[in-house]
Amino acid sequence: MYKIIIVDDEEKIAEGIAHLFPWEQMGFSVEAYFRSARKAVEYLEHHQVDVLVSDIEMPDISGLELCERLSGGSVRIVFISSYQNYEYFRSAIHYKVEDYLLKPIKFQELRECFRKIKEELDEENNAMPDAPVAYYDQIVREVKNYIEQNYREASQNEAAALVGMSSGYLFKIFKEKSGQGFMEYLTEVRMKKACELLDNIQFKSYDVAYYVGYDNPKNFSRAFKAYLGMTPKEYRSRKGING
C-alpha cells in the first residue's frame, strides 16, 4: 500500500476524502488527515509519505506554500480546490503537481488520477535492475556522505540526481541497504550535529536550529524532542549548560 495524507482546513471535507473513497482497493492507505498545513509539515518531517492531497486556500499555510516547502522531496502532490484559478493552475504546473481536482471531487476523476500515480510508483519500485551488491553499497555511501556534508539543505531529489536515479528508486535502495529512509537518516545526522552545537554555550538554541536546517526554532524543538525525548533546553539542563 502506498501512503497518503490529506490536508484541508474544512474538517468534513478532509474526513470525507479520507473515509468515503475505497483507497485500499486502489492500492493506497490514508495514514492521517489534517485541518492544518503546519501539522502536515510536522508529520512529514518524521514520516515517509508517497502522496499528499491538499487544498490550496488554507488559513495558516496555503497549498502552494506547502508545495514549495516540499519541493525537492519525493512526495507526489494532488491539489483540490473550489476555484478554477489560472494562477493556481500555473503554479501547479510549475511545481509539477500530479493533478488539480475541483470540489466536489468526482470519484471517476479521483480514481483515474490515483491509477496513474500508482502506475508511476509501481514502475519506480519494481524497476530494480540486476547489479552487483557493491554497486548499491557505493550508492548508499555516496548518499550518506552527501547528507553529512549538506545536512542543512539536503533533499532526496538532489541526492537522487547526484547518483543518477529517480527519487523513488533511491528511497527503495537506501531503505533496503541502510535500514533507514532518507529523511530518517537526514534527521539523525541533523540531531547529532545539533547535540554537538548545543554542547557549546556560545550557540543559542535558535542558532543551532538554523545551522542544522530548521528556519523555525519551534519546529526544531519538536523534531529534537521527537528524536531524543527532550527539548533542546532540557538537553542543556541535563548537561549543566545554561543558555
Side-chain angles (χ1 to χ4, degrees):
M1 291 284 180
Y2 297 114
K3 297 177 180 179
I4 300 175
I5 64 168
I6 298 162
V7 189
D8 195 303
D9 60 311
E10 295 184 52
E11 186 171 6
K12 288 184 179 179
I13 292 178
E15 188 174 0
I17 296 171
H19 297 300
L20 296 180
F21 291 104
W23 291 109
E24 291 190 4
Q25 293 178 24
M26 295 190 288
F28 295 88
S29 170
V30 177
E31 301 297 300
Y33 59 90
F34 305 93
R35 292 183 59 195
S36 163
R38 292 188 189 279
K39 294 290 184 184
V41 170
E42 292 169 13
Y43 182 90
L44 289 167
E45 287 176 354
H46 305 289
H47 299 83
Q48 177 67 29
V49 170
D50 298 296
V51 188
L52 165 71
V53 180
S54 176
D55 191 9
I56 291 183
E57 293 197 349
M58 294 182 286
D60 54 352
I61 301 175
S62 73
L64 295 177
E65 290 176 284
L66 182 57
C67 195
E68 185 175 6
R69 291 189 183 203
L70 297 178
S71 179
S74 61
V75 181
R76 285 169 163 76
I77 298 171
V78 175
F79 275 152
I80 55 176
S81 178
S82 301
Y83 304 98
Q84 288 184 310
N85 183 302
Y86 172 74
E87 289 301 319
Y88 289 164
F89 283 123
R90 192 172 73 167
S91 296
I93 292 170
H94 172 73
Y95 289 117
K96 298 181 180 178
V97 169
E98 294 290 324
D99 212 335
Y100 187 111
L101 303 177
L102 292 172
K103 300 177 185 177
I105 299 172
K106 297 179 177 64
F107 174 66
Q108 291 288 69
E109 292 179 356
L110 181 121
R111 183 170 64 178
E112 179 60 18
C113 167
F114 277 86
R115 182 190 65 76
K116 291 178 182 177
I117 291 174
K118 185 175 184 300
E119 283 183 359
E120 292 172 2
L121 290 168
D122 285 345
E123 184 177 349
E124 284 186 359
N125 291 323
N126 292 327
M128 295 285 288
D130 293 330
V133 172
Y135 169 76
Y136 292 132
D137 290 338
Q138 178 62 26
I139 290 294
V140 171
R141 283 195 293 271
E142 286 185 33
V143 173
K144 284 187 173 181
N145 182 63
Y146 159 78
I147 291 172
E148 289 157 11
Q149 297 299 318
N150 303 276
Y151 54 83
R152 188 179 188 280
E153 297 178 340
S155 75
Q156 187 167 304
N157 270 10
E158 190 170 280
L162 181 69
V163 296
M165 294 180 173
S166 70
S167 181
Y169 183 18
L170 173 62
F171 176 81
K172 184 177 179 65
I173 290 175
F174 194 86
K175 181 78 171 179
E176 287 183 356
K177 293 295 180 181
S178 70
Q180 293 175 289
F182 181 92
M183 284 305 300
E184 288 178 84
Y185 188 73
L186 175 58
T187 299
E188 178 182 299
V189 170
R190 284 175 167 175
M191 292 305 112
K192 287 180 178 178
K193 184 63 179 178
C195 288
E196 291 179 21
L197 294 171
L198 288 168
D199 287 341
N200 190 331
I201 188 63
Q202 71 174 322
F203 295 112
K204 300 296 184 184
S205 184
Y206 55 80
D207 291 326
V208 175
Y210 175 78
Y211 290 146
V212 299
Y214 293 86
D215 293 330
N216 187 326
K218 289 183 179 178
N219 289 343
F220 165 65
S221 184
R222 292 191 193 99
F224 191 90
K225 186 171 184 178
Y227 186 80
L228 286 170
M230 66 185 86
T231 64
K233 184 176 181 180
E234 290 168 340
Y235 173 85
R236 278 188 155 169
S237 179
R238 293 189 187 191
K239 290 265 189 170
I241 301 171
N242 296 316

